[in-house]
Amino acid sequence: MAVVEYQAPQSLEDALSILKKTDIKSRVMAGGTDLIIQTKSQTAEPVRVVDLKHIDGMMGYTLDDSGLSLGPAMSCAEFTEAADIKAVYPGLVEAAYLIGSTQVQGRASVGGNLCNASPAADTIPALIANSAQCIIQGSQGERTVAVEDFVNGVGQNCMADDEILKRITIAKPVTGTSDAYLRFIPRTEMDIAVAGAGVSVTLDASGVCTAARVAIGAVAVTAILVPDAAAALVGTSLDESALAAAAAAASAAAKPITDRRGTAEYRTHVVGVLVKRAAKIAADRVKGA
Amino acid sequence: MSEAKEYKYIGQRTIRPDGYDKVTGKANYAADLTLPGMIWGKILRSPHAHAKIIKLDTTKAEALNGVMAAATFADFPSVSNEAIQSGEGATDALDLGRNILARDKVLYHGHAVAAIAAKTEAIAERALALIEVEYEVLPPVMDVRDAMKADAPLLHEDLFTQGSAEQPEKPSNIAARHEFKMGDVEAGFAEADMIVERDYYSPTVHQGYIEPHACTVNYNKDGQSMIWCSTQGHFDVRASTAKLLAMPLGNLKVVASEIGGGFGGKTTLYLEPVALILSRKSGRPVKMEMGRDEVFRASGPGSAARLTVKVGAKKDGTITAMKSTMAFEAGAFKGSPVMMGCMTSFTPYNCPNVYCEGFDVVVNKPKVAAYRAPGAPQAEYAAEMAVSELADKLGIDQIDIRIKNAAKEGTQTIYGPKLKAVGLVECLEAARNSPHYQSALKAGEGRGIASGFWFNVGGQSSVTINMNPDGTGTIVEGSPDIGGSRASMQMMASEELGIPLNDLKPIIGDTESVPYSQSTGGSRTTFATGMAVIEAAQDVVRQLKERAASLWNVTPEQVEWQDGVAINTAGEDKMTCAQICAKNDKTGGQITGTGNVNARGAAPSFAVHLCDTYVDQETGKVDVVRYTAIQDAGKAIHPGYVEGQYQGGAVQGIGWALNEEYIYSKDGVMENAGFLDYRIPLASDLPMIDTIIVEVPNPFHPYGVRGVGESGIIPPLAAVGYSVGNAIGANVTDLPCSPPRVLKLIQGKN
Amino acid sequence: MTKIHVTTSINGDETEFLCEPHDTLLEVLRNELGLTGTKEGCGSGDCGACSVTLNGRLVCSCLVLGAEAAGAEVGTIEGVGDADKLNVIQEKFLEHAALQCGICTPGLIVSAQALLAENQNPTEEEVRYYLAGNLCRCTGYDKIIRAVMDSAETMRGEA
């Protein structure tokens, strides 16, 4: 893509009417940390960038008894500084915190990470583990899509060219619930995930798991929800054999490729290790809290 | 010449004289110069790893509005095979020209094919897409073993193996064979009680300097030209460019900008001759910058290497034989540092029976350039891994076996001379006594120790010190400053003159302002340019004494110079440098001191590194938990910058050992041409790098200096590699120790 | 393509420039405004040599469009320290020999300043992780970390 026009609408309606134009392609932009890299070529298809950051509601959040309602373009830096969000969804916050460097954090957003739909996106397994909902606004009106159904291909999401993700909502978790996100990279920062795991667990007073959601990333075309891995945890006290069974289920569900970031067998193995470890961290958070 | 004495400046941690500009963003690097009327140059690069160029037509591109010139190989006047001085060795002019712009073949993905200059970068980029090129695609050769096969596709029909026993009849991808030997290795192995023989692999890696190549050039209609670029050797840039463009040397001024890292990779050139052609044709100054992916794809990485090492020792640890056979990838044109690999492999050892054989092999990758002690990291990695394994098998401590067999003063080297005074034993003993070595490993951790040797070079440097009427002065030298060497020049001159540090300002002159100096590399700057600085400063002192003598009406022999002051021994008078200089116009004119050396007596710097790693056995991830770099500096002029060389070399070596490698598709396209997937160490990946400066003075330098810039990158490969193997109980052979490889070794054991 | 007219504030100075829609803030700073202290090392947000602050947030200027600077406050290396004095971080970098070639230094100083503005007492680990996006190839980071920790100590008045 080559950027030939820049617009910064002040309202969602203005943004949507720009997207309806058919002269050249439009791309919405939040933090821009993926989009700007994709627009480096002068000889590629001309594109109009529509900056969403000046629109009310795209940048802030509310957190109350109904849960979290998140502006998709809010920077990860601000998102991860919100102690109240971290107290309720520590795994989602740690996933958002892993995106890039401090500099990238200053711009990148949870919504942008989701919409960019990289198979290795860090926020998506954590969003899935938390049963996030995507509120989409188009010219036909508003619709809601479960986050595990939002991404439908490599770099592809379910929105039409004239739709915008306007809000991400996550219901308040029931008591005794916490989450965790782990990713594997060869260094300590900066790398794209070789494998990722987002886990949410609910424990009863005696430490038995009554509910769980396990999602894995970077090991398939999209992040995937693994019901079998969750099932392996439910009804157990997350002992070694339950964790091992969850890990095995995650590895079995993985359909990774071999590329410059890892081999298929390596990813298959490591995603299981991550699920085990993330489940334990989530459980420890419940008990510690 | 130098005994342990109290120096006024030498050995202090002074503030570098160019520091203010560096911490304020004022220092000007290669891409920071803009000239009036400047236009932008861009390069069209080959989409194929190996192909013949059937047709190349820039007409349509040149017709685009805003395009002002185009360049191809045809714009080089006929280039022959003569050697041009480049970096640490001679470069074939034809090879250099064909690498800068392809002639009849493209030999790597990203190989420059043509260039365009236009009024904006955007127009230049669009124009590239209008250049018409027709290729006949050929199968690429991407691995040294494939390249050496008899039926391998050939990169060059005119390349015949140098150094083979019989005169070769057919061309080959093997450009050269080298052989070095001492004693009788087979007899030595027969004496051995324990032998280790293994194959090792080190991948293609990049120096990773953060500043991409860039230049701004101007070609005047009268033939006078100027190149502004970051380079380790601006005289080499002048020589190579003048040769390729058939220009007299005197018509070409090269100004060395500040340089954002070189490590050997900026001892050659890529953009400057092309930019000059575009400037000549357009009548405008031209700026060219490489993007980061171009740096990876089309500058000069370090050679990949395959080695087989065999070492043997008696039960008591006496090493009886050492042998290494190695093949280095040169990239698209001949000239890998395999010969230096042969010369350095076993030099830390006093073993009478040594044999090294090395092959220089072309493959369809970018032509390699020097990378910090070129050839030694790969060669000594394999040697040190084998020696470490030998020690473990014999139940001998890693440091003990190295001390027992250590090279010392008088040890015969495989490449000819006997070593003079060296500090390997001192480094090994410092390692043994270090808090690091004394500390116990924790569960899951492993430890590695390795030695490193690099010759260091001397060579030509020229310096003038121009004194001002107020007693301050300028040190004009010709060694581009890649690491803070100006500070040491200032210190050495101030030490000789005895005047305050900040009264002397070191600058790097352009090729028209300073006499010839060899490039910055080979760890030569503090040593050789330092010697020239000292000589120039002593010349200034001699002249100051003469002027004082004439003012006092005594002979120069009656004047002493102490702490920046002339003392009349025949009377009571004293005169400061400033007081003398204030009268220079009356006593014979302003004072200039010169130093001109072709420095001999460069002394090797031995290094010993210790590394502890922790390995996550479920994922194969390696963390460096503790690291100590010990090295002999002879005399550390500025300890802070000497430590910096140790630490920087160590971390480059850590990256090489853990995660750095060029990853290629089967079509020969590099898949990780960026800092995202070419993984150099981050601040968060590392602990502090502890350093120990050992000082065994070099008797051939006035202050005892040994070059230190290069040796530090050699030990980390084996220190890390062996540490990982030690942690998991398996033999590491292939670098890098990336998590998938380490996990495979772990799983292979179970 | 029509150029965009942008009004912004750079190091406290109100500034106007024209840029193409595709120009990044890095390109504008260097090519339009002559502020070459901010460096390009990779153009893709992986090295941090182009670090600036945007409305007080540390960002890579190669990942911000010039047009996005409209109405914002941009802080570059040229704005660090006073006209006649280096600031503590700059002094400590020189004192600790925390630079060799110096190309990463402007980005590192801007980043270190942003760190110390939000955390006056970082641990070594916090410093290393905050600066993970600033690549240095010369120093191995050791002296850089020491310089930043020492700066923090000095700024807290504990030195």
Side-chain angles (χ1 to χ4, degrees):
Chain A
M1 289 182 281
V3 179
V4 300
E5 194 183 312
Y6 169 87
Q7 297 290 342
Q10 305 286 315
S11 72
L12 206 51
E13 294 69 43
D14 288 348
L16 288 167
S17 61
I18 295 171
L19 292 187
K20 288 233 296 281
K21 294 192 194 178
T22 52
D23 53 346
I24 52 173
K25 196 163 177 175
S26 293
R27 287 292 300 267
V28 298
M29 179 173 76
T33 53
D34 284 312
L35 186 69
I36 290 177
I37 295 175
Q38 293 163 13
T39 59
K40 287 290 178 186
S41 166
Q42 286 300 319
T43 52
E45 181 184 14
V47 79
R48 169 191 296 119
V49 164
V50 182
D51 186 349
L52 301 175
K53 296 192 290 295
H54 299 266
I55 299 172
D56 258 346
M58 292 298 289
M59 298 297 283
Y61 74 97
T62 59
L63 182 68
D64 57 29
D65 276 335
S66 64
L68 173 67
S69 174
L70 176 64
M74 180 174 167
S75 73
C76 287
E78 282 185 53
F79 180 72
T80 59
E81 279 165 9
D84 50 352
I85 302 180
K86 188 170 177 173
V88 183
Y89 311 99
L92 178 60
V93 170
E94 69 196 341
Y97 192 63
L98 287 173
I99 300 174
S101 58
T102 308
Q103 291 87 340
V104 167
Q105 289 274 302
R107 302 291 280 173
S109 62
V110 174
N113 189 242
L114 171 61
C115 292
N116 187 58
S118 159
D122 286 310
T123 60
I124 305 181
L127 287 166
I128 294 175
N130 281 286
S131 306
Q133 302 290 312
C134 307
I135 319 293
I136 299 166
Q137 184 73 47
S139 45
Q140 320 290 33
E142 186 187 290
R143 63 187 179 107
T144 300
V145 173
V147 72
E148 59 265 34
D149 300 325
F150 183 83
V151 173
N152 54 20
V154 175
Q156 284 166 14
N157 62 56
C158 66
M159 295 193 295
D161 285 344
D162 61 350
E163 288 184 300
I164 294 176
L165 174 67
K166 74 172 179 185
R167 214 74 188 152
I168 298 171
T169 60
I170 304 180
K172 182 174 170 173
V174 305
T175 318
T177 302
S178 194
D179 70 335
Y181 175 79
L182 287 176
R183 78 172 174 193
F184 182 82
I185 53 173
R187 294 181 294 184
T188 50
E189 279 286 319
M190 301 300 284
D191 295 328
I192 301 294
V194 174
V199 178
S200 172
V201 296
T202 307
L203 308 182
D204 69 17
S206 59
V208 172
C209 178
T210 56
R213 273 174 76 87
V214 175
I216 56 180
V219 290
V221 163
T222 69
I224 45 188
L225 183 63
V226 190
D228 289 348
L233 298 174
V234 172
T236 77
S237 57
L238 271 64
D239 56 295
E240 286 301 311
S241 69
L243 292 173
S251 294
K255 284 183 273 295
I257 58 169
T258 292
D259 71 3
R260 62 192 174 284
R261 298 178 183 137
T263 59
E265 341 136 283
Y266 183 75
R267 290 175 145 128
T268 300
H269 168 82
V270 169
V271 79
V273 174
L274 294 179
V275 162
K276 221 174 35 171
R277 294 179 179 180
K280 183 146 196 327
I281 293 171
D284 287 346
R285 282 179 175 152
V286 175
K287 294 177 200 158
Chain B
M1 230 190 246
S2 73
E3 316 131 323
K5 54 186 272 225
E6 280 303 306
Y7 290 109
K8 197 162 165 187
Y9 297 112
I10 304 297
Q12 302 300 317
R13 293 172 189 263
T14 62
I15 302 294
R16 60 193 280 171
D18 57 313
Y20 176 85
D21 284 353
K22 298 258 159 46
V23 298
T24 55
K26 290 186 164 61
N28 288 319
Y29 293 82
D32 294 335
L33 181 70
T34 297
L35 293 176
M38 191 179 82
I39 60 176
W40 294 82
K42 288 238 176 273
I43 291 194
L44 179 71
R45 299 188 176 280
S46 167
H48 304 292
H50 192 194
K52 288 190 184 146
I53 301 174
I54 306 298
K55 168 184 143 176
L56 176 58
D57 188 345
T58 58
T59 318
K60 291 203 174 94
E62 292 183 75
L64 184 67
N65 191 20
V67 172
M68 298 188 71
T72 66
F73 184 90
D75 290 302
F76 288 142
S78 169
V79 188
S80 68
N81 253 38
E82 283 171 46
I84 301 174
Q85 174 72 35
S86 174
E88 293 171 63
T91 301
D92 189 297
L94 180 58
D95 282 356
L96 182 64
R98 288 187 294 179
N99 192 40
I100 289 172
L101 284 171
R103 190 181 64 178
D104 46 349
K105 275 184 105 172
V106 288
L107 293 157
Y108 51 99
H109 178 265
H111 194 169
V113 173
I116 292 286
K119 289 188 175 154
T120 68
E121 287 186 87
I123 295 171
E125 205 190 308
R126 281 182 227 129
L128 293 183
L130 299 174
I131 297 176
E132 295 171 298
V133 198
E134 225 178 274
Y135 296 102
E136 180 193 319
V137 181
L138 302 168
V141 183
M142 301 307 296
D143 179 275
V144 72
R145 293 167 298 187
D146 292 334
M148 292 173 80
K149 291 184 181 143
D151 57 351
L154 290 180
L155 273 71
H156 302 283
E157 295 297 332
D158 58 350
L159 184 64
F160 295 85
T161 309
Q162 303 272 320
S164 42
E166 316 88 29
Q167 194 54 15
E169 296 167 359
K170 293 197 300 183
S172 169
N173 290 324
I174 303 172
R177 176 185 170 273
H178 302 278
E179 188 186 75
F180 288 81
K181 54 187 173 191
M182 282 197 304
D184 181 345
V185 271
E186 295 314 322
F189 285 125
E191 283 183 79
D193 296 316
M194 181 71 67
I195 290 177
V196 165
E197 182 172 16
R198 258 187 220 290
D199 295 339
Y200 299 93
Y201 171 70
S202 177
T204 304
V205 290
H206 196 272
Q207 302 83 349
Y209 34 83
I210 305 298
E211 179 206 33
H213 300 260
C215 64
T216 298
V217 311
N218 186 51
Y219 189 105
N220 277 345
K221 292 193 201 339
D222 64 359
Q224 296 298 313
S225 296
M226 187 282 299
I227 293 175
W228 162 279
C229 65
S230 70
T231 173
Q232 295 174 239
H234 47 332
F235 285 95
D236 292 341
V237 172
R238 185 183 71 166
S240 299
T241 305
K243 179 96 198 165
L244 289 172
L245 299 186
M247 294 168 67
L249 290 172
N251 282 8
L252 180 53
K253 173 164 100 169
V254 182
V255 184
S257 70
E258 298 295 341
I259 171 173
F263 314 109
K266 290 184 180 156
T267 58
T268 181
L269 70 170
Y270 305 98
L271 300 174
E272 293 79 0
V274 182
L276 213 52
I277 293 168
L278 293 170
S279 180
R280 177 172 59 77
K281 287 177 149 189
S282 65
R284 300 285 205 95
V286 172
K287 182 173 198 164
M288 296 187 76
E289 299 172 353
M290 278 199 193
R292 178 52 53 181
D293 70 316
E294 291 179 283
V295 174
F296 278 113
R297 293 185 199 288
S299 65
S303 296
R306 292 203 176 268
L307 311 98
T308 302
V309 170
K310 184 175 177 185
V311 292
K314 297 202 179 113
K315 266 200 291 282
D316 70 351
T318 307
I319 297 176
T320 58
M322 310 185 92
K323 178 176 174 180
S324 182
T325 317
M326 60 193 85
F328 275 47
E329 290 179 6
F333 298 92
K334 62 185 182 289
S336 77
V338 65
M339 189 173 85
M340 291 187 284
C342 292
M343 293 160 76
T344 55
S345 289
F346 302 118
T347 305
Y349 299 93
N350 179 16
C351 174
N353 307 308
V354 185
Y355 179 87
C356 287
E357 182 188 36
F359 295 96
D360 182 37
V361 182
V362 296
V363 294
N364 290 115
K365 293 181 184 177
K367 162 80 175 70
V368 302
Y371 180 10
R372 209 164 194 165
Q378 300 91 325
E380 294 187 60
Y381 158 67
E384 290 299 300
M385 292 296 282
V387 168
S388 293
E389 190 182 339
L390 192 60
D392 276 349
K393 287 196 152 105
L394 289 171
I396 296 177
D397 170 81
Q398 294 289 341
I399 293 185
D400 285 347
I401 197 170
R402 287 174 168 86
I403 290 183
K404 188 178 181 61
N405 295 281
K408 304 180 165 74
E409 181 164 5
T411 297
Q412 176 68 52
T413 66
I414 201 177
Y415 57 90
K418 290 191 162 71
L419 291 175
K420 310 267 193 319
V422 288
L424 174 59
V425 171
E426 288 81 351
C427 287
L428 288 164
E429 280 169 353
R432 204 219 298 278
N433 297 330
S434 68
H436 184 161
Y437 198 68
Q438 303 292 321
S439 71
L441 288 171
K442 301 193 186 68
E445 292 182 356
R447 180 166 291 166
I449 295 136
S451 304
F453 160 83
W454 186 248
F455 330 79
N456 299 331
V457 306
Q460 298 175 58
S461 284
S462 293
V463 170
T464 60
I465 299 180
N466 301 320
M467 297 306 290
N468 298 319
D470 62 357
T472 62
T474 310
I475 305 164
V476 186
E477 48 126 334
S479 292
D481 185 350
I482 60 177
S485 53
R486 265 167 291 192
S488 301
M489 302 306 141
Q490 187 188 49
M491 291 163 80
M492 287 185 276
S494 286
E495 191 72 45
E496 292 294 322
L497 271 158
I499 65 177
L501 211 52
N502 289 327
D503 279 2
L504 286 170
K505 175 175 162 179
I507 67 165
I508 289 119
D510 62 52
T511 56
E512 287 180 352
S513 313
V514 67
Y516 178 78
S517 286
Q518 250 166 260
S519 64
T520 297
S523 306
R524 67 177 299 269
T525 307
T526 310
F527 172 72
T529 304
M531 281 173 74
V533 165
I534 292 164
E535 200 177 285
Q538 289 173 347
D539 189 17
V540 170
V541 168
R542 180 185 56 74
Q543 293 180 66
L544 287 167
K545 285 161 72 175
E546 281 171 3
R547 303 303 180 87
S550 88
L551 287 167
W552 286 325
N553 238 327
V554 300
T555 67
E557 292 71 31
Q558 291 171 302
V559 178
E560 267 180 28
W561 188 265
Q562 230 176 69
D563 287 329
V565 175
I567 301 170
N568 182 359
T569 58
E572 294 283 308
D573 317 76
K574 288 185 180 176
M575 253 196 291
T576 65
C577 176
Q579 287 169 329
I580 299 170
C581 286
K583 301 201 161 89
N584 276 349
D585 55 340
K586 296 186 177 57
T587 58
Q590 300 311 319
I591 290 177
T592 290
T594 55
N596 237 305
V597 306
N598 190 348
R600 299 214 147 63
S605 178
F606 276 95
V608 173
H609 287 197
L610 296 166
C611 178
D612 291 349
T613 55
Y614 170 80
V615 181
D616 180 332
Q617 303 259 350
E618 286 190 297
T619 64
K621 184 166 195 299
V622 178
D623 291 325
V624 175
V625 298
R626 189 160 188 182
Y627 202 95
T628 305
I630 303 159
Q631 191 174 334
D632 179 12
K635 177 66 190 172
I637 302 295
H638 190 308
Y641 289 102
V642 169
E643 289 161 353
Q645 291 300 312
Y646 294 5
Q647 293 165 331
V651 170
Q652 281 184 312
I654 289 170
W656 193 328
L658 286 185
N659 275 308
E660 293 181 38
E661 58 177 328
Y662 271 45
I663 299 171
Y664 278 97
S665 74
K666 61 171 173 40
D667 295 326
V669 179
M670 185 185 183
E671 294 183 320
N672 60 335
F675 280 132
L676 179 61
D677 292 311
Y678 183 86
R679 293 178 257 255
I680 76 173
L682 315 167
S684 47
D685 291 340
L686 298 163
M688 293 296 183
I689 309 291
D690 293 329
T691 58
I692 301 175
I693 299 177
V694 166
E695 288 179 322
V696 174
N698 171 12
F700 299 98
H701 184 278
Y703 296 127
V705 165
R706 296 175 191 270
V708 297
E710 290 169 284
S711 299
I713 199 176
I714 301 166
L717 276 63
V720 173
Y722 206 77
S723 171
V724 171
N726 184 239
I728 65 179
N731 283 307
V732 166
T733 57
D734 290 8
L735 294 182
C737 296
S738 55
R741 281 200 187 82
V742 175
L743 186 67
K744 221 170 179 156
L745 286 174
I746 294 168
Q747 288 168 338
K749 285 185 47 206
N750 302 337
Chain C
M1 227 186 300
T2 328
K3 286 201 178 178
I4 303 173
H5 177 246
V6 176
T7 306
T8 184
S9 162
I10 304 202
N11 301 322
D13 292 331
E14 186 170 301
T15 307
E16 293 177 54
F17 59 83
L18 292 176
C19 71
E20 302 282 4
H22 59 76
D23 284 334
T24 61
L25 178 59
L26 176 63
E27 287 166 332
V28 167
L29 287 170
R30 291 181 54 81
N31 301 333
E32 297 305 315
L33 300 174
L35 294 168
T36 56
T38 307
K39 307 298 180 191
E40 176 171 332
C42 71
S44 53
D46 300 314
C47 76
C50 69
S51 298
V52 301
T53 57
L54 188 62
N55 294 328
R57 282 281 175 205
L58 187 66
V59 299
C60 280
S61 57
C62 73
L63 294 183
V64 176
L65 293 176
E68 294 183 87
E73 283 179 24
V74 180
T76 73
I77 182 67
E78 287 87 354
V80 172
D82 297 324
D84 57 349
K85 224 165 82 71
L86 298 176
N87 81 0
V88 172
I89 301 170
Q90 291 168 311
E91 303 254 9
K92 291 297 178 186
F93 264 65
L94 291 177
E95 200 180 297
H96 285 267
L99 58 146
Q100 289 179 31
C101 80
I103 194 80
C104 71
T105 305
L108 261 160
I109 289 177
V110 168
S111 300
Q113 186 171 63
L115 165 63
L116 297 181
E118 68 177 63
N119 182 352
Q120 281 78 50
N121 198 358
T123 63
E124 179 188 331
E125 190 176 4
E126 286 174 327
V127 175
R128 288 183 179 278
Y129 273 84
Y130 192 94
L131 299 178
N134 289 81
L135 301 186
C136 173
R137 196 56 161 166
C138 292
T139 67
Y141 305 102
D142 180 296
K143 293 179 187 301
I144 291 172
I145 306 301
R146 291 180 201 276
V148 176
M149 305 281 298
D150 193 7
S151 301
E153 203 178 302
T154 304
M155 286 161 76
R156 291 195 307 271
E158 290 164 27

